[in-house]
Amino acid sequence: MLQAQQYWQWQFCEQHNVLILDMGDMQFATPFKRRQLTDEAFSNPNFNLQDADFYQQVCQYLSTFSIWTNAQICQIALNATAVKHYLKPMLAKSWFFNSYTGTAPNQEAIVQLTSKAQSGQFLIVDCDQSASVCLCLEPQFALDDNLSLMQFEVIKVLNDRIEPLFYAQGQQKRA
């Protein structure tokens, strides 16, 4: 697993119009564009203790699922960290998703959202009492016939759209 280092630094790449993390010998590009980022993202902030703590929490959580490789876990966690600390607040776009009508409470950060076109897995990056910011884990997720999310793009939805992930048998995690 890639361990956070104090010399890591967030930078905005003008050439590609995305937020990147400079890790010294390599750079990690997020999919987040200038219009999505807070002003703080443009001051070349260091990967601070708050970033490192959140990154580590996400890595540890995802590794409990035994589904993703270490490289995939790092990629998800770094994108989630960028979302958590450098994305502007967004409005909920819940109309794309079906309401969850089940009774099982969601107690995980890996959840399922169902649009009229498909169901897919998302990581809750931030939440409050009414809505959650969700990071798409699918390679592509169709919101409707015309719009889709690419992997690691985010959407905010009302919490009544979020479905827990369970196997039909014995309530085991699917993620």
Side-chain angles (χ1 to χ4, degrees):
M1 191 77 58
L2 190 60
Q3 295 298 317
Q5 302 295 321
Q6 68 184 86
Y7 59 83
W8 287 4
Q9 185 177 38
W10 294 104
Q11 298 175 351
F12 183 75
C13 176
E14 295 286 347
Q15 181 181 1
H16 295 103
N17 189 30
V18 294
L19 181 66
I20 62 169
L21 180 61
D22 185 348
M23 298 184 274
D25 55 349
M26 66 179 159
Q27 292 184 331
F28 174 81
T30 73
F32 310 115
K33 309 286 185 207
R34 174 181 290 279
R35 63 180 164 72
Q36 297 174 285
L37 300 170
T38 62
D39 290 341
E40 185 182 359
F42 301 103
S43 65
N44 296 337
N46 287 329
F47 196 84
N48 60 34
L49 289 176
Q50 188 179 14
D51 292 339
D53 184 50
F54 185 76
Y55 167 76
Q56 200 61 38
Q57 286 177 29
V58 174
C59 285
Q60 288 173 352
Y61 173 75
L62 293 175
S63 65
T64 66
F65 287 89
S66 301
I67 291 173
W68 297 284
T69 65
N70 284 344
Q72 290 170 318
I73 289 171
C74 290
Q75 188 175 22
I76 295 167
L78 287 172
N79 278 300
T81 302
V83 169
K84 178 83 172 167
H85 297 125
Y86 301 104
L87 244 60
K88 289 179 180 175
M90 59 185 73
L91 296 174
K93 296 181 179 175
S94 300
W95 58 84
F96 288 115
F97 302 99
N98 300 337
S99 293
Y100 172 59
T101 57
T103 58
N106 179 50
Q107 298 179 3
E108 297 292 338
I110 299 292
V111 297
Q112 179 171 292
L113 292 174
T114 302
S115 70
K116 291 171 183 29
Q118 75 179 89
S119 291
Q121 294 178 14
F122 288 76
L123 172 68
I124 296 176
V125 176
D126 204 7
C127 65
D128 60 31
Q129 290 181 326
S130 62
S132 296
V133 176
C134 300
L135 181 78
C136 181
L137 298 179
E138 301 296 331
Q140 184 172 357
F141 183 87
L143 295 170
D144 62 19
D145 293 338
N146 301 313
L147 293 172
S148 62
L149 293 174
M150 298 307 292
Q151 191 172 40
F152 307 126
E153 288 187 320
V154 294
I155 193 163
K156 186 173 186 177
V157 299
L158 294 176
N159 291 334
D160 68 354
R161 304 304 201 267
I162 295 172
E163 304 172 39
L165 288 174
F166 294 109
Y167 277 125
Q169 59 195 161
Q171 294 191 354
Q172 296 177 352
K173 293 181 223 176
R174 173 174 84 76

